Amino acid sequence: MPPKRRIGIVPDLVARPLFSRFHDPGFEVVRDVPGALAVKLRDQQLDGAFLSPIDAIRGLPGCRPAGGGCLAATSGSNTARLLFRSGIRDIRTLAVDPGRTSEIVLAHLVLVEQYDLTPRIVPITGSPAESLSDCDAALVAGDEASGALAVDEGLDLVEEWMEIADLPFVHGLWYAREGAFETDGPDLFTCPASGRPLASGTVSYAFDEEARSGLAEFVRMAYYHGILKEIPEFNTFLPDSST
């Protein structure tokens, strides 16, 4: 029997439809935040992983984009939120989970573009309440973001991004080690559901032209604000839209 291939997935409920094909005896599933998955894939501890675009852009030797699945959020879908103790204009420090790399960049872009703010980033892995005890604001993503809807003082970052770009925000996409999945069908890394409604928005699981355009604009803005040193060739990190 061939060895199990190790697949890295994020624990967020909203991304679960992307992972249904890996509940199979031939795969070993590892759950972690995107930044940690990128390190494990880079260190050859995984054969494939669902990654933050920022982690993919920063380089994964021996890896390639895999399939046409992604998690793209629109319409204020509560997948990334900013919580704060006082008014948004009072934010001087921002607590973040360092494993949520693309959402950290998203928060920076929204704050500087929409509010002319550049708070100091403070890496914290505690709960939102613990983060807010030490910082003026806290970035929450995934299940933490969807569970923070009852908080009075909060900002939906995807909704703000839609106001800036009028395009989806891509939270993650698939990468795999070269040769690890050559014998699998082309649909392994795609999702049978194109999208589903959330409490107050929509997510899409197809890496279609709109999602590609949203990611391209995100990368362009990250470069413009000095977060990325260059705009990479898109065919080095974006899956072929025909897959």
Side-chain angles (χ1 to χ4, degrees), residues 25-225:
F27 300 103
E28 179 183 348
V29 172
V30 176
R31 290 177 174 81
D32 214 328
V33 293
L37 293 178
V39 172
K40 291 174 182 177
L41 185 60
R42 190 177 295 115
D43 291 346
Q44 302 185 35
Q45 298 174 30
L46 297 172
D47 298 299
F50 189 74
L51 301 181
S52 150
I54 291 293
D55 290 319
I57 291 167
R58 285 174 174 166
L60 295 166
C63 299
R64 60 174 180 80
C70 77
L71 175 60
T74 62
S75 305
S77 43
N78 303 313
T79 50
R81 291 178 62 81
L82 199 67
L83 310 181
F84 40 91
R85 293 184 300 187
S86 185
I88 193 168
R89 298 290 178 183
D90 296 325
I91 296 176
R92 299 292 180 269
T93 53
L94 172 61
V96 304
D97 180 340
R100 299 284 188 173
T101 46
S102 283
E103 288 78 10
I104 294 171
V105 174
L106 173 64
H108 175 89
L109 295 178
V110 166
L111 288 174
V112 71
E113 286 277 331
Q114 298 285 74
Y115 301 95
D116 196 26
L117 294 173
T118 54
R120 179 169 60 89
I121 301 297
V122 181
I124 295 178
T125 56
S127 68
E130 291 170 333
S131 297
L132 288 173
S133 69
D134 295 325
C135 295
D136 301 319
L139 169 66
V140 292
D143 290 348
E144 277 193 338
S146 61
L149 295 179
V151 177
D152 291 333
E153 295 291 343
L155 191 71
D156 190 307
L157 292 173
V158 173
E159 193 170 70
E160 295 284 321
W161 168 254
M162 291 287 292
E163 287 189 13
I164 295 169
D166 196 26
L167 287 165
F169 177 75
V170 177
H171 287 278
L173 64 163
W174 287 108
Y175 259 66
R177 303 203 62 76
E178 293 180 2
F181 300 93
E182 286 184 349
T183 61
D184 296 279
D187 295 333
L188 181 65
F189 290 100
T190 60
C191 178
S194 60
R196 68 184 181 90
L198 297 180
S200 60
T202 302
V203 295
S204 172
Y205 302 106
F207 202 50
D208 55 20
E209 288 303 316
E210 192 170 45
R212 291 168 70 87
S213 296
L215 183 51
E217 180 64 9
F218 177 66
V219 169
R220 186 195 68 78
M221 289 183 60
Y223 170 76
Y224 175 80
H225 285 282

